Each structure stands twice: as structure tokens, then as C-alpha cells.
Amino acid sequence: MASRVSALAKPRGVWWEGLGRDERLWVWLTVIWGIAMFLMIAFVWPLIGEEQNRLHAYRVDPATFASQAEAFIQQYQIGQRDGVPVVAPPPGGDVYLDARAFAWQPVIQLKRGETYRFLISSRDVQHGFSLVMPPHSINVQVLPGYVTVLELTPEKTGEFPLICNEYCGLGHHLMIGRIIVTE
Amino acid sequence: MATAATMRRCEITGLSVDRSAERLIMLNAVTAVVYLTIGGVLALLIALTRWQAVHLLAPQRFYEFVSTHGMVMLIFWILFFEVAGLIFASTVLLSTRMVIPWLSWIAYLMMLGGSVIATVLMLSGQATVMFTSYPPLRAETPWYYAAVLVFAVGAILAVVHFFVNIVAARLRGDVGSLPLFTFALMGAAIIALWSLLSGALALFPVFLWALGVIPEVDPGIYRLLYWGLGHGAQQVNLAAMVGVWYGLASLTTGARPLNEGLSRIAIVLYVLFINMGAMHHLLVDPGLGTWVKNVNASYFMYAAVMGSLIHAFSIPASMELALRERGYRRGLFEWLRRAPWGEPGFAALVVSMILFGLLGGISGVIIGGPQVNMISHNTLLVPAHFHMTVVAGTTLAFMGIAYYLVPLIFQRQLLFRRLAQWQPYVYGLGMLIFGIGMGLAGHWGVPRRHWDITFSTAPVLGVNLQELRPEIAVFLAMMGIGGIIAVIGGAMFVAVAVATVFVGQRTARPAVGRIVPEAFSPYPAIAGGSGEPAAAAAHRTFEVPGTLVISVVFLILFIFLYGFSWFELSRVPWKIG
Ligand code: HEM
Ligand SMILES: [Cu+2]
Ligand SMILES: [Cu+2]
């Protein structure tokens, strides 16, 4: 067995040796644990979980996205809240969510138990979609020039604040929107 | 060996010290501590702002200071200290010469110039873009980007010089196998090289865009390249910290790594796999496919996690072995009880390992999974995680080794030893409270980099998050109070370091506490170790039963918290995807 050397000193001679019993045991435990975590992420959760990371994305010209979002608001607007349009898209339909410094547009009213496809993008800088439902939150990144596509199914009624969690300028803390879920 | 007047022999360690290397180590270390001090003052102010009940700063000041704090701490404090470490490991520790002193001078001056300009611009509100500088948010002045680039090129030169020193020492025959400490720093240097290149590739187009030379930069591609730096840099810190851990273990307990080869393989795992984990910053970005995320962020990352788990075992194991050899053999843990808890380096090592492992490492693996990331991305849980790694872990480890290297390199008597003895505990306690508060707030959905979660000034749709769940106010208070304690702990370190450097008594034989000076000698002449095949008999049973027990308990806790995170994900009241 080679003799052991301080970490601060130059090792002399041959220091390579096989693993002792203790090390072998620990290395096996770490390998097994690493594989277990990989299986959980790649295969187990995708089978059993209800919260999946299946984001899609496509590129878009920010101006095009802005006009699509405007058209969406025109079509489904049902009212106003604090001067912000409130829309009620059809169950199962697309929801355009338009981020800009420093607002989320529109306020969205959804039906519990229905699945909606959210199309989220920014007109200017990067923003962070953060739907807050303490003690949890759902967060995705929003970039100008890309649409983040995310399917969401609300299963609880109520009002959910939508905040921005990517720093987007000096008014970052003013940026807030709302998603309302009804029966 | 060419020991001219340019070299001195250290009377304590027996190492030959190149005077020009020594001077550059001093400069880089002092600069690092200056940045740590600036960053610490800012830390206090922003922590007291996020403590919603105090809410100290005005919004613009807050964002300026968060930007500056992140840059000054994560980039400047850490990198200047690491450059000092790289010079130390590639010259002093090998008793060899610094090959091209002027290259290190140029590197230092570029890093200094770039960092001073960037700091001034950030503090004066001309670059309030956070250290991540995501386009298309644009700094007021393009020179901010130029300053960061100059700093990065300086750092690249410093890393290159490290390799030059090592290759030259090799060619001169001054060194065969590298000491493990130097080997770990070499791992860090390799990662640093490609991280810094990736960062330069990200920032250079942004500089051109800010100048108006090119019309736009793609924010998605910027993020990919940027995190090649941002994530890689953390692995630099990780590898450097691990090197320091091994060093402190040898210095304070006479530890000799259980299995030299295994420890080195674990470092190679970092080099090979960690940068592939870079995409865990992009798990909820548009543009990356599910399998890229799964493979990159989990499988390759876990190969690197395995490296860390190996070190987490090897380091306590080697200390256990050394202390057992000294006669503390009773039961599982007599060695632990008899360990030098009053020695600042040992205290820093243990606190750093516990907080890094339990809070930093586990939280990182948890939020680094593509699914759980959806409930943690950009919440306060993220800075909570990295304050446990790079602050409670790396920064504290660096402070620990400074208590020995400062007296030895500056040849001064360490002042305020009592303060130094308590410092790691105070700092660790503060970070523990701070981190738990911040992490829980983040889990409850509180965003990072945010001035006001009560939305008291929002023109429309305002909601007070603290009213949704009053416990959030408690978490934020913990963050504030823990922050105050941690800043006091940081100030204790700065006091010891500054006092020692400027008023400590000059001496060729500074008292450096209860260390094991033989730790620097190539022969296994450490306490009780006689060099002959010592532990052959011990191999029939477990050699380090205490460490095995600790490690298995740690793994069980890891498994529990990991499982709990999935449970929490399953409780999100919306279906996703
Ligand atoms: C006494 C110690 C410290 C305290 C109390 C502290 C406190 C804080 C606080 C309150 C934030 C803002 C979080 C937010 O609102 O998003 C922050 C951010 C940060 N801190 Fe610290 N910090 C400390 C030390 C350090 C050190 C030593 C480092 C690096 C080595 C560091 C690196 C960072 C970074 C990178 C950020 C993120 C900035 C950003 O989001 O752009 N901190 N810290
Ligand atoms: Cu925003
Ligand atoms: Cu924002």
C-alpha cells in the first residue's frame, strides 16, 4: 500500500492504489443515488407527475406578437380592471400574455379544470412570468423574440397575482398582473 | 535549485518563496479583501431593504446596490482571491519560481482597472443591469461592458500564467506529481479558462450592440453563452474551495487524503462534467428541448455531484484517520470531539463543509431538476442556494485559509486571534439564519431582485404578498437578522486581516496556531505516520467508521429532502404541461 501524503505536499513515488472498503462502499452509494435521481427526472416523474416541464417555444417578431395579443384582447374582452382589459378566452383555447416594462396584459379569467395554452412573450426586455400561489409559484422565463408556450390547468378558484421575477428595469417592482379562476 | 536573492526560505514550512510571486499574492489578496468589504457594506443595505419591515433603500439605490453587490462579490472578491491562490499553488507550494512576473502584473492591472471602472459605473447608476447584464436591457454606457471584458481578459492571462508556471516547474524537474491542493486549483483553472472565454463571447457582441455597431443580440443565445461563464465560474469556485478544504484539513489536523487517486478522479469529474450542467440556468427558458434539459441538467450534472459527494466523504475521512492515528480511537466519534474546534482554520472548514453540503449542495441538486425548477426559478430560493455555496462555502473556506496564508506570506504576527476563532461560527450562524429565511421566502414565491413585494407603489392591480401569507414577513425578517449577523462575521474577518497586514508585528516566524507544519513536507512525516505501510491491518474492518456514519446520515437527509421537493411540486394547485 502506498503511503498517504498531505494535500499541501508534493507526493513522491507511486501514490495510486485501489479503493479501500470504505471508499468502495461510498462510491457505490453515490453512483446509485445519481442514477436514481436521473431516472426520477427523465422517466418516473414524466409518468406520474401532474406538473411537467414541457415548454415549447418558437421565434417571433416582437411587433407581430404584440398585434396578435391585441387581436386576442379585442376578441375576448369582457371588461376592465384598474384600466387593464380583462379577457375570458374559450376553455381549451390559446391565451396570449404580453409582457412589457412594466405591465402584464391582459388580466385573464379562466375556468377551473380547463386546460389553456399560454403563449407568452415580451415587447421589450426580458421578464419573468411568476404566478404566485403561496406557498408555491410557477415560473418561466420570458424573452423578447421568443414565445414561451406553456399548458396550464387551474384546479383551484381564486385570484392569482402574476408578478415579474426577472429584473427588467427600475420599475420592475411595479409590474403585476392577474389571473382569475372561476367555476 | 536557483535560490538567488529573489527567493526566501520560509522558516516555518521550509518552502522556498519567490519574492515576486509573494508580492503579487499580496496585491491580489489585498484587492480581494477590499472588494469583500465593499460588497459586505452593500450586502447589509440590501438585506435591510428586503426585510420588508425595514425596507431601507429607495428603489433605484436598491437595484444599483444589488447589481454592484453581485458583481463585486461573486466576480471581484472571489476572482482576485483565486488569482492569489493560483499564484500560491503554482509557485510557493511547489518551491519554484514565477516564470513571467510581468504577465501577472499585466493581468493584475487589467483586472484592477476593469473592476474599478465597472464598480464605479454600477454604483453611480450607469450600469444598473445586474451582474448578469441580460440584453436587451442596456447599461447607460457601453464602457461598462468594455470594463468587464478587460477584467475577463486580465483573468484569462492570470490563468494562463498559472499553467506556464506549472509546465515550467515540470520541465525544470521541480515537481513530479502536483500536490492535491495545486491539482484542485489546476482543475479550477481549466474550467476557468473556458468559462471566461464563454463569457467574453457573450459580452463582446453586447458591447458592440451597446456601441451601436450591430443592431441586436439574441437574448436566448446570450443566456446560453453567459451561463457558460456564470455556471462555469461557480465550478471554479467549487474546485478551488475543495482544494482549500483539503489544504485546511492537512494543515489543522495533519490529514492525508484517504485515497489520493479517488480524490483526484473526483476533481477530474468536475472538469469533465460540470460545464455540461450549465443549462440548469435555462430550464424554463424558451428554446431548449426536454431531452437537452434532462440529459444536460441531470445526468451530466450528477456525475459532477458525485465528485462532490466523494470529497464530502474523503475530507472528513482523512481527518478521522489522522486523528485516530494520534490516539483518539475510542468509539465512533472521539476523534471528532477531540478535533481542534478552537482553531480558526478547522472551524472554517467544518462550518463551510456543513453549510455547503447540507444547504447549498442539496438545494442546488433539487432546484437544478427541470421540473422542480419551475417552482423555484428566479425566486429568492435561488440566491438562498448560492449564498450557501459561494458564501457559506467558498467565501468562508477562503477566509479560513487566509488566517494562515496572510501571516505566512506577509510575515506578520496574526492579530486578534480570539476574533478569528469565533469568526467562522458567527459568520456561519448568520448565513444559516439568512439562508433558511431567504430559501423559505423563495419557496413561498417571493421573487429575487425585487424591491417591494407589497406592491405598495404599483399603479394598477397591486397585491400585498405578505398579506396572502403572513409567514412571509417572518422569513424576510430572518433574512434581515441573519444578514446582520453574517455581516458582523464578515467584518470580524476583515478586521483580523487588515490589522494583521498593516499593524501586525513583522517576523520571520509568525505564530500560526496549532497547525501541522509537516503538512508541507513531501514525506509522510505527520504525527504518528511513519511512512511504512501503516494501515494494512485496519483494512479488515472499516477504517473510518465515524465518517461513514456521518456520510450515510447525510445521504439519507439528502434523499428525504429530495423526495420532499417532489412532494411539494405535486402540491402545486395547478396542472402544468
Ligand atoms: C454577509 C454576507 C451577505 C449578505 C447578507 C448578502 C445578502 C444579499 C442579498 C440580500 C441579496 C439580494 C437578493 C435579491 O434581492 O435578489 C444578495 C444578492 C447576491 N449576493 Fe449576497 N450577501 C452576502 C454575501 C455575498 C457574498 C460573499 C457573495 C459572493 C461571493 C454574494 C453574492 C451575491 C450574488 C451573486 C447576488 C445576486 C445579485 C443579483 O441577483 O444580481 N453575496 N446578497
Ligand atoms: Cu418584467
Ligand atoms: Cu421585472
Side-chain angles (χ1 to χ4, degrees):
Chain A
M1 186 185 129
S3 43
R4 296 175 169 132
V5 193
S6 155
L8 293 167
K10 302 177 210 175
R12 294 273 162 92
V14 178
W15 43 260
W16 182 267
E17 61 171 317
L19 295 186
R21 204 169 147 187
D22 313 54
E23 301 98 285
R24 223 171 326 149
L25 174 66
W26 182 247
V27 167
W28 274 115
L29 286 176
T30 63
V31 169
I32 293 169
W33 178 230
I35 293 175
M37 290 193 297
F38 173 61
L39 294 179
M40 183 67 187
I41 279 173
F43 300 108
V44 178
W45 189 259
L47 277 179
I48 64 169
E50 299 218 305
E51 292 79 15
Q52 298 297 346
N53 186 335
R54 297 204 184 102
L55 296 184
H56 295 278
Y58 59 90
R59 282 177 195 268
V60 74
D61 173 43
T64 312
F65 184 82
S67 60
Q68 286 169 340
E70 298 293 347
F72 166 76
I73 292 173
Q74 296 259 307
Q75 195 173 357
Y76 299 114
Q77 181 163 4
I78 57 166
Q80 273 201 354
R81 176 102 173 247
D82 281 8
V84 183
V86 180
V87 300
D94 286 355
V95 176
Y96 285 84
L97 185 60
D98 177 22
R100 76 181 82 163
F102 304 101
W104 293 106
Q105 286 243 45
V107 170
I108 301 158
Q109 184 173 316
L110 306 177
K111 279 210 159 22
R112 195 173 75 89
E114 300 290 343
T115 300
Y116 298 85
R117 201 163 74 117
F118 276 67
L119 305 170
I120 316 169
S121 188
S122 162
R123 296 185 182 204
D124 41 43
V125 296
Q126 304 194 17
H127 297 280
F129 170 100
S130 181
L131 190 60
V132 184
M133 43 190 87
H136 295 103
S137 60
I138 298 172
N139 312 282
V140 294
Q141 191 76 23
V142 180
L143 309 182
Y146 290 83
V147 178
T148 306
V149 184
L150 171 71
E151 283 194 1
L152 288 174
T153 313
E155 286 177 335
K156 203 171 137 189
T157 59
E159 289 205 4
F160 299 89
L162 173 59
I163 64 178
C164 175
N165 70 5
E166 184 57 78
Y167 174 73
C168 53
L170 296 178
H172 169 54
H173 52 278
L174 307 177
M175 183 162 169
I176 185 164
R178 193 81 86 253
I179 297 183
I180 302 162
V181 181
T182 60
E183 279 298 341
Chain B
M1 207 193 295
T3 315
T6 54
M7 305 281 275
R8 75 171 166 89
R9 200 179 140 80
C10 175
E11 292 183 21
I12 295 201
T13 61
L15 296 169
S16 313
V17 183
D18 181 331
R19 297 262 179 198
S20 49
E22 184 177 69
R23 211 165 300 129
L24 279 153
I25 294 173
M26 291 181 188
L27 266 181
N28 279 287
V30 167
T31 313
V33 173
V34 170
Y35 279 119
L36 179 70
T37 311
I38 299 173
V41 173
L42 298 172
L44 184 64
L45 300 175
I46 58 179
L48 289 179
T49 306
R50 296 272 359 215
W51 182 1
Q52 199 74 44
V54 179
H55 213 210
L56 185 66
L57 300 172
Q60 183 169 349
R61 265 290 119 72
F62 171 76
Y63 291 125
E64 284 164 16
F65 286 3
V66 175
S67 298
T68 320
H69 168 77
M71 187 67 117
V72 157
M73 286 295 211
L74 188 66
I75 314 291
F76 301 157
W77 141 250
I78 292 273
L79 272 166
F80 275 108
F81 196 92
E82 277 167 357
V83 169
L86 287 176
I87 301 174
F88 173 78
S90 66
T91 60
V92 179
L93 211 49
L94 308 180
S95 283
T96 185
R97 302 253 313 277
M98 182 179 222
V99 185
I100 330 175
W102 59 261
L103 183 60
S104 273
W105 276 100
I106 292 181
Y108 174 73
L109 291 175
M110 288 181 78
M111 288 171 66
L112 184 69
S115 61
V116 167
I117 292 173
T119 308
V120 169
L121 291 177
M122 289 181 111
L123 276 180
S124 62
Q126 296 181 71
T128 313
V129 290
M130 303 293 152
F131 76 94
T132 42
S133 316
Y134 292 140
L137 195 67
R138 190 197 308 231
E140 297 279 310
T141 160
W143 302 111
Y144 160 74
Y145 304 104
V148 178
L149 278 167
V150 168
F151 176 87
V153 174
I156 290 174
L157 294 181
V159 173
V160 168
H161 193 199
F162 170 84
F163 290 114
V164 172
N165 282 337
I166 294 219
V167 171
R170 220 28 220 252
L171 293 180
R172 273 199 303 267
D174 285 356
V175 62
S177 291
L178 295 172
L180 185 58
F181 182 87
T182 307
F183 188 82
L185 282 185
M186 186 160 80
I190 294 171
I191 306 170
L193 211 52
W194 79 56
S195 305
L196 288 163
L197 285 173
S198 178
L201 277 179
L203 276 167
F204 189 62
V206 176
F207 173 54
L208 294 181
W209 163 75
L211 278 177
V213 177
I214 57 175
E216 60 179 8
V217 279
D218 184 305
I221 293 175
Y222 174 88
R223 288 171 65 85
L224 185 66
L225 288 172
Y226 184 83
W227 285 112
L229 165 74
H231 180 74
Q234 300 330 305
Q235 312 319 314
V236 176
N237 302 338
L238 176 63
M241 174 187 73
V242 164
V244 170
W245 280 355
Y246 278 109
L248 282 173
S250 293
L251 206 55
T252 58
T253 68
R256 287 163 288 149
L258 198 59
N259 188 306
E260 189 79 27
L262 182 64
S263 293
R264 287 175 193 238
I265 288 173
I267 288 163
V268 173
L269 282 178
Y270 287 162
V271 176
L272 291 182
F273 291 109
I274 211 101
N275 221 45
M276 298 193 178
M279 283 178 200
H280 73 210
H281 296 262
L282 315 177
L283 291 174
V284 295
D285 269 31
L288 295 182
T290 305
W291 272 97
V292 175
K293 291 174 186 171
N294 280 350
V295 170
N296 181 289
S298 60
Y299 198 57
F300 289 143
M301 191 175 86
Y302 298 149
V305 169
M306 196 181 141
S308 290
L309 288 172
I310 290 174
H311 298 306
F313 170 79
S314 287
I315 295 168
S318 56
M319 291 197 287
E320 175 171 358
L321 211 58
L323 291 165
R324 278 181 189 276
E325 274 177 23
R326 256 194 235 169
Y328 306 135
R329 298 204 180 84
R330 242 169 311 136
L332 278 177
F333 295 121
E334 192 197 11
W335 61 277
L336 198 58
R337 281 199 306 279
R338 299 296 203 88
W341 295 95
E343 189 57 44
F346 182 80
L349 169 63
V350 173
V351 175
S352 167
M353 285 193 73
I354 292 176
L355 292 184
F356 181 94
L358 277 185
L359 297 175
I362 294 180
S363 67
V365 172
I366 287 175
I367 65 180
Q371 294 94 352
V372 175
N373 190 259
M374 296 187 299
I375 60 171
S376 52
H377 177 71
N378 272 358
T379 66
L380 272 185
L381 188 51
V382 174
H385 150 70
F386 66 70
H387 278 78
M388 294 303 104
T389 55
V390 80
V391 185
T394 309
T395 297
L396 188 52
F398 286 2
M399 289 169 168
I401 198 127
Y403 290 129
Y404 306 94
L405 297 191
V406 168
L408 288 174
I409 295 284
F410 286 81
Q411 306 226 282
R412 300 260 188 186
Q413 210 61 269
L414 187 80
L415 287 183
F416 307 146
R417 172 166 292 278
R418 281 243 92 116
L419 216 54
Q421 283 175 327
W422 282 100
Q423 189 271 338
Y425 299 112
V426 175
Y427 197 68
L429 176 73
M431 268 297 142
L432 180 69
I433 300 172
F434 174 84
I436 290 178
M438 199 184 208
L440 288 173
H443 182 46
W444 260 241
V446 175
R448 69 185 286 197
R449 301 172 163 173
H450 200 279
W451 179 66
D452 181 21
I453 60 154
T454 68
F455 289 91
S456 59
T457 52
V460 296
L461 299 174
V463 172
N464 184 346
L465 297 190
Q466 291 192 133
E467 270 169 19
L468 293 184
R469 282 298 196 113
E471 62 267 36
I472 290 176
V474 179
F475 301 151
L476 292 176
M478 284 173 70
M479 179 177 162
I481 293 164
I484 294 173
I485 301 175
V487 169
I488 292 174
M492 288 162 74
F493 167 76
V494 174
V496 174
V498 169
T500 302
V501 167
F502 291 105
V503 292
Q505 192 199 343
R506 280 204 149 279
T507 165
R509 298 189 63 88
V512 275
R514 280 176 46 200
I515 64 160
V516 183
E518 297 84 16
F520 294 96
S521 119
Y523 301 102
I526 296 165
S530 46
E532 67 259 19
H539 259 237
R540 262 182 281 118
T541 70
F542 286 119
E543 270 184 296
V544 285
T547 300
L548 270 176
V549 169
I550 297 175
S551 303
V552 169
V553 169
F554 170 75
L555 193 60
I556 290 171
L557 195 72
F558 191 164
I559 294 171
F560 171 76
L561 288 172
Y562 185 75
F564 187 70
S565 75
W566 291 101
F567 170 70
E568 280 293 290
L569 179 63
S570 77
R571 284 192 7 188
V572 171
W574 287 39
K575 219 189 272 179
I576 312 171

